[in-house]
């Protein structure tokens, strides 16, 4: 039975690999996380149909490779993933079981956003004792708006390759998005100038691109090691460090348990701030523009 299953999958891959986007049909895009689904809609417009594999309230590191994801991947002409091992626990299974040759790693139908930007926190050594360290660097690249623009350019180019008949449409959409995004970035950088140098704790190292962009200072993470839940003992150590080098905020993503950040915030008498982290993480973060609007608003409100 197992041999038959793999044979059928391989046959399906061969058949699908030879297919192209039919005229007047939308390109089927499989986005692993909400930010890339939102970006695909910006640059693809009416020419794409976007499937979003996860929500803002799911930990993108830990997703089950459900049959619904595999079915969606089977129909896709383009997968947009973060890469840098963010989806390593589930996406390889989804791709393999889809039997879709067009979207396998290395094919035109597979795009990793993290390959289009400069990654931060690239480790100089790898040791499992250090926790879930990503060998290719920190994967949470979406929280620097300059990266969004780079990924938009790469995504547009890839859509144009997959669906050359609509290339001019994709490039026009990119031009419109770029103009609006650059205007918004100038406003965000002006609004965020007062945050420069602000020391913060982060619950998980998911905000390095945001703090790097705004010039904020991460004094440490509540997780004792990446991907390891804080314990009472590790939080007590954080509190001791807070007394020696005070931070002004504790930041967590919407999908994370609020217990550790609240515990530290209450005892250190500093605000605990939940940030949307991605599109849909808060009611205000309805799209990519709302993601950064709300992130800045929440950080500034907490410091008043």
């Amino acid at each position: 039975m197992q041999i038959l299953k793999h044979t059928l999958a391989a046959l399906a891959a061969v058949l699908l690999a030879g297919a192209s986007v039919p005229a007047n049909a939308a390109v089927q895009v499989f986005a692993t996380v909400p930010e890339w689904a939102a970006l695909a809609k910006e640059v693809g417009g009416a020419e794409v149909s976007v499937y979003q594999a996860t929500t803002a309230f799911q930990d993108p590191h830990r997703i089950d490779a459900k049959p619904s994801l595999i079915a969606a991947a089977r129909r896709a002409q383009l997968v947009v993933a973060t890469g840098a091992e963010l989806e390593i626990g589930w996406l390889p299974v989804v791709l393999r079981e889809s039997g879709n040759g067009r979207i396998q790693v290395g094919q035109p139908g597979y795009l990793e956003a993290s390959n289009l930007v400069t990654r931060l926190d690239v480790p100089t050594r790898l040791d499992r004792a250090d926790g879930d360290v990503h060998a290719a660097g920190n994967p949470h690249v979406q929280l620097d708006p300059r990266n969004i623009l780079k990924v938009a350019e790469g995504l547009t180019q890839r859509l144009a390759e997959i669906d050359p008949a609509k290339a001019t449409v994709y490039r026009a959409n990119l031009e419109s998005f770029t103009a609006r995004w650059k205007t918004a970035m100038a406003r965000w950088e002006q609004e965020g100038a007062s945050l420069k140098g602000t020391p913060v704790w982060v619950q998980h190292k998911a905000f390095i691109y945001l703090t790097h962009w705004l010039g904020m200072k991460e004094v440490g993470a509540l997780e004792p090691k990446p991907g390891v839940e804080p314990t009472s003992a590790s939080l007590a150590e954080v509190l001791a460090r807070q007394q020696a080098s005070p931070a002004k905020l504790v930041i967590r993503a919407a999908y994370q348990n609020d217990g550790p950040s609240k515990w530290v915030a209450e005892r250190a008498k500093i605000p605990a701030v939940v940030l949307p982290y991605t599109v849909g993480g808060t009611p205000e973060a309805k799209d990519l523009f709302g993601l950064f609007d709300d992130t800045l608003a929440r950080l500034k409100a907490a410091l008043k």
Side-chain angles (χ1 to χ4, degrees):
M1 181 61 72
Q2 192 69 13
I3 294 174
L4 176 61
K5 181 180 177 183
H6 287 297
T7 301
L8 291 173
L11 178 61
V14 170
L15 293 173
L16 288 169
S20 58
V21 179
N24 301 319
V27 175
Q28 303 291 314
V29 178
F30 180 105
T32 60
V33 287
E35 57 268 29
W36 307 137
L39 189 60
K41 292 173 184 174
E42 290 281 358
V43 300
E47 310 304 333
V48 300
S49 176
V50 180
Y51 177 86
Q52 178 181 309
T54 61
T55 76
F57 298 101
Q58 292 177 288
D59 182 345
H61 305 82
R62 296 178 174 83
I63 302 294
D64 291 331
K66 297 182 296 185
S68 58
L69 298 183
I70 295 168
R74 189 170 293 136
R75 297 189 298 269
Q77 278 117 14
L78 175 62
V79 165
V80 186
T82 295
E85 300 182 346
L86 180 73
E87 304 99 339
I88 195 171
W90 57 278
L91 187 58
V93 177
V94 169
L95 296 180
R96 184 183 68 239
E97 294 301 315
S98 76
N100 183 347
R102 295 175 298 197
I103 59 169
Q104 302 302 311
V105 176
Q107 295 300 311
Y110 182 82
L111 180 68
E112 286 192 353
S114 63
N115 284 339
L116 302 171
V117 306
T118 300
R119 291 190 291 268
L120 304 177
D121 270 356
V122 179
T124 55
R125 68 172 196 131
L126 291 174
D127 189 332
R128 292 303 300 170
D130 294 334
D132 291 337
V133 175
H134 296 283
N138 193 300
H140 306 288
V141 301
Q142 81 279 7
L143 289 178
D144 183 335
R146 297 169 296 188
N147 288 346
I148 296 290
L149 207 51
K150 293 177 182 176
V151 178
E153 292 167 354
L155 177 54
T156 299
Q157 182 177 341
R158 191 61 60 90
L159 282 169
E161 291 171 10
I162 292 173
D163 186 15
K166 310 281 178 51
T168 54
V169 177
Y170 300 130
R171 291 182 183 120
N173 290 345
L174 174 65
E175 186 176 357
S176 171
F177 175 74
T178 299
R180 291 181 286 123
W181 196 252
K182 285 184 175 179
T183 299
M185 276 204 302
R187 172 168 53 80
W188 293 327
E189 288 173 357
Q190 187 175 24
E191 291 175 355
S194 60
L195 298 169
K196 187 174 183 179
T198 301
V200 298
W201 288 102
V202 296
Q203 186 159 319
H204 172 67
K205 289 185 72 65
F207 299 99
I208 187 67
Y209 293 90
L210 177 70
T211 56
H212 177 75
W213 168 55
L214 293 173
M216 301 172 76
K217 179 183 177 184
E218 283 193 22
V219 299
L222 304 193
E223 291 179 344
K225 297 177 181 177
V228 177
E229 282 293 314
T231 64
S232 298
S234 68
L235 291 178
E237 290 179 9
V238 168
L239 204 56
R241 289 176 58 192
Q242 165 69 12
Q243 292 172 345
S245 302
K248 292 184 177 180
L249 303 172
V250 185
I251 296 172
R252 71 173 175 86
Y255 72 82
Q256 292 178 305
N257 169 21
D258 64 358
S261 57
K262 280 188 174 179
W263 192 94
V264 170
E266 288 172 1
R267 287 157 180 78
K269 301 190 185 311
I270 58 177
V273 184
V274 57
L275 297 181
Y277 170 75
T278 185
V279 173
T282 61
E284 295 80 6
K286 295 177 180 176
D287 57 18
L288 288 165
F289 292 88
L291 168 61
F292 287 96
D293 280 338
D294 195 41
T295 295
L296 285 166
R298 286 170 179 261
L299 289 172
K300 294 183 69 176
L303 290 172
K304 285 184 178 176

